[in-house]
Amino acid sequence: MIKITFPDGSVREYEAGITGLDIAKSISNSLARDIVSVSVNGTNLDATRPIHTDATIKLHKFDDPEGKYAFWHSSAHLMAEALEALYPGVKFGIGPPIDNGFYYDVDLGEDRVLTDADLPDIEAKMSELAKQKNDYQRQEVSKQEALDYFSDKGDEYKLELINELEDGTISFYQQGNFVDLCRGPHIPNTGFIKALKLTSIAGAYWRGDENRKQLTRVYGITFPKKSMLDEYLEMLEQAKERDHRKLGRELELFMFSNRVGQGLPIWLPKGAALRERLENFLRSVQRKHGYQQVITPHIGQKELYVTSGHYAKYGKDSFQPINTPAEGEEFLLKPMNCPHHCEIYNSKPRSYKDLPIRMAEFGTVYRYEQSGELHGLTRVRGFTQDDAHIFCRPDQLKDEFIKVIDIILYIFKVLDFNDYTAQISLRDPGNKDKYIGTDENWEKAEAAIIEAAEEKGLHTTVETGEAAFYGPKLDFMVKDAIGRKWQLGTIQVDYNLPDRFELEYIGSDDHRHRPVMIHRAPFGSMERFVAVLIEHTGGKFPLWLTPDQVVVLPISEKYNDYAQKVLNYLNNCDIRTLIDGRNEKIGRKIRDNELLRIPYLLIVGENEQNEESVSVRRQGEGDKGTMKLKEFEQYLNKEIDKLLLY
RNA sequence: GCCGAUGUAGCUCAGUUGGUCAGAGCAGCUGAUUUGUAAUCAGCAGGCCGUGGGUUCGACUCCCUCCAUCGGCUCCA
């Protein structure tokens, strides 16, 4: 007998060799029907794996992340089985579970192309196979057996994967006629998969390497219940409604023009007003934190970027130099603000007493992004960074870094971004050629970031190999409406640029020293930040930020004069107010302005005119009752102040 | 840049096997209505069917080029 400990601490005894599934059955049959995998001593395993020794276990349903992992992993195998049945000879790359579903990379051969039209057939085959309730059977194999199997099959992708595995750790899983190299775990049988949808087809380079063959990637998602698939599809529909590209057009915030050029956003009046307000907000925060604003030109001599190292790294993949007509000079559209700021630093001798110097600029930069990468406002070719560079002494580095974290967290709090993650990006020690700078400086910089993040108690993930080429960084990421992650704020330590520009200060010892630089942008770029803000709020911006705060709706044209009086009064109080004086019924005006997400609708007619009052309606909430004008002004200012009171 | 898809009026979309198929709703304009908390009614106007080629007696419809957009991949100072 063995002792099995459950998450609640209770212990039961079972025969050695019992499976997680049997344990579930011993509790209840209905539970057993929902169990898709089991964690044994912290390792996620098949629910059908025998347990031979005392263990702590946790039974996973689909609702658990571990359960989803197994469920979608098994679904990928089911799809592969369907693909093999429909397209004999297909070769398989990898087929992992992902955040929302799974994919499988396949090679169909030279002359076969998969398109969206093929998806229903594959889905039908998968459903057919799922109904057979075939068990997922695990088999441990030797490396040689594994190699033999896939060389017989002629699948060079699997052979490549097997060659990187160690003998004795290799397992196959089989369901129906399909066998795959896989570590597991898997669900008990295909019958668990009750609802499925293949979502898209894409190209994906084998092993993520653009120099290798491009495989066909098929994405899908599955559920143990039909209703869950419906809910998921419904959620996707709702997410589409929040898409910043759609809302940007509907709320007239920004546009693109092919004549102007792809990836070059154009800010419309309302969008520009919103952005300006965000910039002023940050300016004011930065002023309080000892930053000074500077302004630098949009182009700079090529030599500037040769000095900074950016030209060597990005020159040939960037917008090409602008040539002068006569002297043969070359200028680059600025892709970065930092070289300009270094020149400002260098414009006069600096003392250790002057440091830190914090130089801020809303600097517009231009980068040649690959055409396939452009995406709404989040990935563009011309954008404005809320950039700043902090030049400080090495002994000030960690403090300054922490102060920047404080600013970013403050901004996130004011704007109600609570669901962010922080990522520390370090260099890949196995690939040092990708980076510039000395080992010693890298080590110092990475240590400073890790310590600062720890000191602020940030929950961070560490990504090796994700650093910028000149230094490590701390990035703040948030998710958009459909769960895609975007990097917003960033803080980067840089020892290299001060070297390259030979930045110096005179220390208390009367000797020359090299300052350290911090690059930082709390929003990242105004474009991306506004995009994420649009999706985060669904276009319902905070009152202090929104382009139009109030719209006055006269019941009929007879009350347009009174509406104008209300408008004048509010505009005098610095409340951004419009009138909807159209010859339409009040219901119509309410509907149209609700859809424009204007926070307050003021309905005025006979009664309001007589009492010098307004009937207040909050967007999305409905009628708030009647108030005197003065009262409404105070009511609004209370809401505006509350939002800035952090 | 690569793989796949898409591109018809300002927006959202119909357009059957190539042959009065250039349409609808919303938005816009004009008129009527003067309205009390999410769409008043009527009329009018609006499109070189993304671009450039080709096939055909005839192309929105078929083929190719290019451009742009969408979903991914790669990239992201």
Side-chain angles (χ1 to χ4, degrees), chain A residues 495-555:
Chain A
Y495 286 92
N496 295 304
L497 228 39
D499 270 347
R500 290 178 161 261
F501 280 87
E502 301 181 316
L503 306 185
E504 292 178 339
Y505 64 89
I506 308 297
S508 55
D509 57 2
D510 198 29
H511 285 93
R512 291 163 186 269
H513 297 273
R514 187 127 293 165
V516 188
M517 250 175 109
I518 298 173
H519 307 245
R520 44 107 279 176
F523 293 148
S525 85
M526 299 312 296
E527 285 74 9
R528 177 174 293 181
F529 192 81
V530 168
V532 174
L533 185 66
I534 290 168
E535 304 209 347
H536 185 67
T537 59
K540 298 177 186 178
F541 304 112
L543 190 56
W544 64 274
L545 200 52
T546 199
D548 301 306
Q549 296 172 307
V550 174
V551 59
V552 187
L553 313 181
I555 291 285

Side-chain angles (χ1 to χ4, degrees), chain A residues 322-342:
Chain A
I322 302 163
N323 296 290
T324 54
E327 294 83 356
E329 289 175 285
E330 291 185 305
F331 290 85
L332 286 179
L333 273 171
K334 87 173 160 185
M336 304 280 298
N337 303 300
C338 32
H340 293 74
H341 291 184
C342 285

Side-chain angles (χ1 to χ4, degrees), chain A residues 45 73 106 170 177 185 360 368 425 520-521 547 586 615-616 621 623:
Chain A
L45 297 175
H73 199 174
V106 299
I170 300 173
N177 295 319
Y368 181 79
S425 299
R520 44 107 279 176
I586 194 66
S615 177
V616 180
E621 293 176 22
D623 200 347

Side-chain angles (χ1 to χ4, degrees), chain A residues 264-277:
Chain A
L264 299 171
I266 295 165
W267 294 78
L268 299 172
K270 288 178 196 295
L274 175 77
R275 165 175 161 173
E276 202 167 53
R277 215 156 276 122

Side-chain angles (χ1 to χ4, degrees), chain A residues 141-151 159 162 167 170:
Chain A
V141 294
S142 72
K143 188 163 183 171
Q144 196 54 51
E145 286 169 325
L147 289 171
D148 289 346
Y149 179 83
F150 282 103
S151 40
L159 287 174
I162 294 165
D167 204 356
I170 300 173

Side-chain angles (χ1 to χ4, degrees), chain A residues 82-294:
Chain A
L83 287 167
E84 195 164 69
L86 292 169
Y87 309 100
V90 57
K91 298 173 196 173
F92 295 96
I94 56 166
I98 51 178
D99 284 353
N100 285 304
F102 59 90
Y103 65 80
Y104 220 121
D105 286 346
V106 299
D107 180 353
L108 293 148
E110 291 306 319
D111 48 351
R112 199 150 44 195
V113 178
L114 213 53
T115 72
D116 294 344
D118 299 314
L119 295 180
D121 293 340
I122 305 169
E123 287 173 354
K125 193 67 179 174
M126 286 173 72
S127 298
E128 182 191 324
L129 294 168
K131 288 199 185 95
Q132 294 175 3
K133 300 189 180 176
N134 295 318
D135 290 340
Y136 285 87
Q137 291 167 325
R138 179 187 172 86
Q139 183 192 354
E140 309 212 341
V141 294
S142 72
K143 188 163 183 171
Q144 196 54 51
E145 286 169 325
L147 289 171
D148 289 346
Y149 179 83
F150 282 103
S151 40
D152 284 352
K153 209 178 166 190
D155 192 329
E156 66 261 31
Y157 304 105
K158 292 294 179 190
L159 287 174
E160 183 175 331
L161 295 173
I162 294 165
N163 272 317
E164 291 168 19
L165 296 174
E166 275 188 40
D167 204 356
T169 63
I170 300 173
S171 56
F172 281 180
Y173 276 83
Q174 174 165 9
Q175 92 275 9
N177 295 319
F178 179 75
V179 177
D180 202 355
L181 168 74
C182 188
R183 160 177 15 156
H186 284 284
I187 60 180
N189 68 65
T190 59
F192 281 66
I193 301 168
K194 299 277 199 248
L196 56 92
K197 174 88 186 159
L198 299 185
T199 47
S200 67
I201 293 177
Y205 301 106
W206 172 233
R207 316 215 83 175
D209 183 343
E210 65 177 319
N211 297 313
R212 303 195 66 179
K213 181 161 173 134
Q214 190 160 45
L215 306 180
T216 303
R217 177 171 294 179
V218 185
Y219 285 89
I221 191 162
T222 53
F223 294 96
K225 276 189 197 151
K226 173 79 168 62
S227 61
M228 294 170 88
L229 174 62
D230 294 340
E231 275 169 36
Y232 175 74
L233 295 175
E234 170 66 21
M235 188 272 289
L236 282 187
E237 282 304 309
Q238 286 179 2
K240 267 193 209 162
E241 295 298 309
R242 302 170 81 92
D243 190 312
H244 77 277
R245 293 166 297 186
K246 179 174 155 72
L247 286 173
R249 184 170 51 235
E250 287 174 0
L251 305 181
E252 296 182 3
L253 299 170
F254 62 89
M255 62 171 274
F256 290 90
S257 152
N258 291 340
R259 275 184 204 256
V260 172
Q262 63 174 160
L264 299 171
I266 295 165
W267 294 78
L268 299 172
K270 288 178 196 295
L274 175 77
R275 165 175 161 173
E276 202 167 53
R277 215 156 276 122
L278 271 176
E279 287 181 359
N280 287 338
F281 163 62
L282 183 57
R283 270 198 190 94
S284 135
V285 173
Q286 288 179 164
R287 197 161 43 238
K288 287 173 198 155
H289 282 82
Y291 286 69
Q292 299 165 293
Q293 292 287 141
V294 297

